[in-house]
């Protein structure tokens, strides 16, 4: 087995036993990137020299006998909307193409402090608006299981990188599904933490009341290890909550029997791909066999989730993106007067989906329409949250499909924004309710594409979600963790 094939937890063991050095580990991932990246296109910026530097500094400390964090020396890839000091952070947008942040996001500061070498910044939909990574201003990322398909989005670069062994771990962000949906399309575990669990400081804002940073990994244990380091209070983010952070890896040891599981009726719906629904129900049966109590639950407000989300998220986006005016950040198109400059800069450097969101949001917030659209949507959001509170009185965990279909073809939905929006139909209400939500692989379909099951729990129950995910992982016998990709010119990797 090559080093890039190991999970983060196993790399951590090898490093701690000094069986390998971090430089060897990082080199293995860099070699893998050289081989695979030209086909998959997971990264916007590569940082090999920085990764090797960080690795040798960890190796030096280890040889001196310094006490190091379990993840010290284990490399990571970071989505390109998470600020990295002195290193280009583009948000996959022309407007920030050459933007170099003067500070690190809190999560980046943390991973640097504990010595996790940074392999690069990953591709995404522009400003995290999208579900396929096709909205990147630079290039789309391919689904490693099938190059004609999308990896999901907006954290598609992070997902494809972990899925192909170009990184053992990655950070993504999830506003309305952007960690869970790509995790499910690429066969990974992806966790959207409770709103407030992980600091958003330095995460370039899309919709601030929804955005959360979270892990993408091959296993639940790897996500638990990363959650242990990124979770917690941060004085720099007023929405970060001061709840104590448990040891998420310790949660994995407990069993799942006696858990009350609610199968969300709306998320195993008849309109969904039947193979996905069958795979989810098979996973539910595994939980039942182990002693979980299972019943169906309805979240009736789900039908209004998409409508509410596509008013709230664009409204916040239209306000957040007002700062890109050519004066303070990034690209400036010039012009004879200030209005001409604003309009040329924004007109040229924002992509079509970002412009669409800004227009929807500006409309929904404008005088006369605010009450009819934005305010209504906020009321629906409250009712959605109540649906969840009610369901959590009866159930510990709610489950359903992560996505209604497997990964779709590149180009299939680019001309039809509504179809694209509908691909997050199962993910959006969890986001609106602010509850933690995880996607765990639950099978591989008849054409070789991974399928995911979504698990949702009350606020701050990430440990419970990871425990159920780890249980399902142990029962998994039916598919490889990573794809073998056939290259067009023959051979595979
Ligand atoms: N696909 C959804 C959107 O385009 C969610 C994106 C996200 O979670 N960042 O808004």
């Amino acid at each position: 087995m090559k080093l890039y094939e190991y999970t983060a937890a196993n790399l951590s063991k090898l490093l701690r036993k000094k069986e390998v050095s971090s430089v060897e580990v990082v080199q293995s991932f860099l070699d893998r990137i050289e081989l695979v990246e030209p086909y998959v296109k997971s990264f916007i910026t590569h940082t090999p020299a920085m990764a090797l530097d960080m690795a040798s500094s960890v190796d030096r400390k280890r040889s001196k006998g310094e006490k190091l964090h379990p993840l010290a020396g284990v490399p990571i890839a970071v989505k390109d909307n998470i600020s990295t000091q002195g290193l280009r952070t583009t948000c996959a947008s022309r407007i920030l193409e050459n933007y170099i942040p003067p500070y690190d996001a809190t999560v980046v500061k943390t991973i640097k402090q504990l010595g996790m070498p940074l392999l690069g910044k990953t591709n995404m939909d522009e400003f995290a608006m999208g579900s396929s990574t096709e909205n990147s201003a630079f290039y789309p990322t391919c689904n490693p299981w099938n190059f004609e398909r999308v990896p999901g989005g907006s954290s598609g670069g992070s997902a494809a990188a972990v899925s192909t062994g170009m990184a053992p771990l990655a950070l993504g962000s999830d506003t309305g599904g952007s960690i869970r949906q790509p995790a499910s399309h690429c066969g990974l575990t992806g966790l959207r933490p409770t709103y407030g669990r992980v600091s958003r400081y330095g995460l370039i804002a899309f919709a601030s009341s929804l955005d959360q940073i979270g892990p993408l990994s091959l296993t639940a244990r790897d996500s638990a290890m990363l959650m242990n380091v990124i979770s917690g209070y941060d004085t720099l983010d007023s929405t970060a909550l001061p709840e104590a952070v448990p040891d998420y890896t310790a949660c994995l040891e407990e069993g799942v029997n006696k858990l009350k599981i609610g199968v969300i009726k709306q998320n195993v719906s008849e309109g969904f791909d039947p193979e996905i629904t069958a795979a989810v129900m098979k996973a539910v049966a595994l939980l039942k066999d182990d002693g979980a109590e299972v019943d169906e639950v309805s979240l009736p407000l789900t039908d209004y989730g998409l409508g509410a989300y596509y008013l709230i998220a664009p409204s916040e986006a239209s306000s957040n993106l007002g700062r890109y005016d050519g004066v303070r950040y990034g690209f400036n198109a010039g012009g004879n007067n200030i209005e001409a400059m604003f309009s040329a800069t924004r007109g040229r450097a924002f992509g079509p989906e970002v412009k669409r969101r800004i227009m929807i949001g500006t409309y929904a917030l404008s005088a006369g329409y605010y009450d009819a659209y934005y305010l209504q949507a906020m009321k629906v959001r409250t009712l959605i949250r109540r649906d969840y509170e009610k369901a959590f009185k009866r159930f510990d965990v709610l489950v359903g499909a992560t996505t209604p279909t497997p990964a779709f073809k590149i180009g299939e939905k680019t001309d039809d924004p509504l179809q694209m929006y509908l691909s997050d139909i199962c993910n959006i209400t969890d986001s609106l309710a602010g509850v933690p939500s995880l996607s765990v692989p639950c099978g591989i379909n008849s054409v070789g594409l991974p399928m995911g099951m979504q698990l949702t729990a009350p606020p701050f129950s990430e440990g419970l979600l990871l425990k159920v995910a780890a249980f399902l992982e142990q029962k998994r016998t039916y598919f490889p963790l990573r794809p073998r990709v056939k290259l067009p010119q023959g051979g595979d990797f």
Side-chain angles (χ1 to χ4, degrees):
M1 205 167 149
K2 305 250 175 52
L3 287 173
Y4 71 80
E5 293 174 279
Y6 283 80
T7 63
N10 286 337
L11 288 173
S12 156
K13 271 190 213 145
L14 291 177
L15 286 162
R16 275 181 288 170
K17 285 198 257 162
K18 296 195 189 164
E19 283 177 24
V20 293
S21 69
S22 179
V23 168
E24 286 169 315
V25 171
V26 166
Q27 195 55 56
S28 176
F29 285 97
L30 294 177
D31 294 345
R32 182 72 179 160
I33 289 172
E34 208 175 304
L35 179 73
V36 177
E37 175 65 358
Y39 305 98
V40 177
K41 297 228 166 286
S42 271
F43 289 90
I44 291 176
T45 305
H46 294 272
T47 51
M50 184 179 175
L52 286 168
D53 263 9
M54 290 170 83
S56 50
S57 140
V58 169
D59 288 341
R60 258 195 316 276
K61 287 185 187 157
R62 202 180 305 273
S63 68
K64 280 197 225 143
E66 271 184 45
K67 198 173 156 24
L68 298 173
H69 187 276
L71 282 174
V74 177
I76 188 166
V78 173
K79 187 174 178 179
D80 210 21
N81 59 350
I82 302 178
S83 302
T84 41
Q85 184 177 11
L87 177 67
R88 197 164 81 109
T89 299
T90 68
C91 247
S93 180
R94 293 278 171 215
I95 213 154
L96 290 178
E97 191 168 359
N98 299 309
Y99 169 60
I100 299 186
Y103 64 93
D104 274 328
T106 296
V107 292
V108 169
K109 204 165 159 195
T110 308
I111 61 176
K112 279 186 181 170
Q113 268 165 1
L114 36 110
M116 296 181 74
L118 177 66
L119 292 165
K121 303 293 295 289
T122 56
N123 199 15
M124 53 184 282
D125 288 296
E126 185 177 4
F127 281 100
M129 298 172 190
S131 316
S132 66
T133 315
E134 291 164 293
N135 294 341
S136 165
F138 306 123
Y139 34 77
T141 299
C142 295
N143 187 314
W145 295 80
N146 180 332
F147 282 175
E148 286 167 14
R149 308 251 165 183
V150 303
S154 62
S155 313
S158 287
V162 176
S163 160
T164 47
M166 290 195 278
L169 283 172
L171 285 175
S173 71
D174 187 311
T175 304
S178 280
I179 290 175
R180 294 161 284 161
Q181 187 253 22
S184 108
H185 285 346
C186 291
L188 301 175
T189 296
L191 170 63
R192 171 195 168 84
T194 310
Y195 185 77
R197 173 77 296 184
V198 175
S199 168
R200 291 183 300 114
Y201 179 71
L203 170 66
I204 296 180
F206 160 16
S208 311
S209 78
L210 294 155
D211 299 340
Q212 270 294 287
I213 294 173
L216 287 127
S217 63
L218 208 54
T219 64
R221 177 167 298 275
D222 285 2
S223 275
M225 288 178 86
L226 192 49
M227 278 300 289
N228 276 355
V229 304
I230 60 172
S231 304
Y233 184 57
D234 181 12
T235 48
L236 296 173
D237 172 5
S238 61
T239 60
L241 292 165
E243 296 287 318
V245 180
D247 176 359
Y248 290 110
T249 58
C251 304
L252 305 174
E253 317 297 340
E254 304 154 19
V256 297
N257 56 347
K258 302 269 167 349
L259 280 183
K260 294 197 183 73
I261 310 274
V263 180
I264 304 172
K265 195 175 129 203
Q266 288 81 358
N267 287 0
V268 284
S269 152
E270 268 181 16
F272 286 20
D273 178 89
E275 280 192 90
I276 293 188
T277 314
V280 168
M281 293 320 288
K282 216 166 140 190
V284 169
L286 291 172
L287 296 167
K288 209 168 170 180
D289 286 350
D290 203 62
E293 275 175 44
V294 178
D295 205 351
E296 190 180 82
V297 59
S298 173
L299 298 175
L301 266 292
T302 297
D303 293 349
Y304 302 97
L306 201 75
Y309 174 88
Y310 277 97
L311 286 166
I312 295 168
S315 295
E316 293 183 19
S318 75
S319 152
N320 275 325
L321 270 55
R323 72 192 74 177
Y324 306 109
D325 53 10
V327 178
R328 284 164 289 188
Y329 295 91
F331 179 75
N332 177 324
N336 293 335
N337 57 54
I338 194 146
E339 211 181 312
M341 182 192 74
F342 283 174
S343 125
T345 299
R346 290 168 69 82
R348 272 174 51 194
F350 281 139
E353 184 59 32
V354 174
K355 286 181 187 160
R356 183 178 296 120
R357 305 282 177 113
I358 292 173
M359 284 190 281
I360 297 173
T362 307
Y363 184 85
L365 290 176
S366 56
Y369 295 108
Y370 180 94
D371 287 356
Y373 293 110
Y374 183 75
L375 201 64
Q376 279 298 103
M378 290 302 279
K379 287 181 183 164
V380 171
R381 184 177 190 174
T382 302
L383 295 176
I384 286 173
R385 190 175 297 137
R386 288 204 192 128
D387 260 6
Y388 279 85
E389 281 162 8
K390 214 165 122 198
F392 287 132
K393 289 205 174 106
R394 278 176 64 205
F395 299 102
D396 302 306
V397 180
L398 307 179
V399 303
T402 307
T403 58
T405 67
F408 45 90
K409 291 221 167 92
I410 293 178
E412 191 181 318
K413 296 184 200 273
T414 37
D415 294 333
D416 190 345
L418 188 59
Q419 281 308 313
M420 189 70 92
Y421 298 169
L422 280 165
S423 67
D424 309 298
I425 188 88
C426 307
N427 317 127
I428 268 168
T429 48
D430 293 349
S431 293
L432 288 168
V435 294
S437 183
L438 173 148
S439 182
V440 60
C442 68
I444 187 148
N445 77 2
S446 49
V447 294
L449 295 170
M451 302 180 283
M453 170 169 174
Q454 185 173 259
L455 314 169
T456 307
F460 298 102
S461 306
E462 286 82 358
L464 176 59
L465 295 178
L466 290 161
K467 173 172 91 173
V468 179
F471 169 83
L472 291 170
E473 214 172 78
Q474 278 164 23
K475 299 275 168 188
R476 175 162 72 191
T477 51
Y478 40 82
F479 69 100
L481 291 180
R482 285 192 165 119
R484 280 220 69 84
V485 184
K486 296 218 177 324
L487 296 175
Q489 72 272 35
D492 60 6
F493 59 75

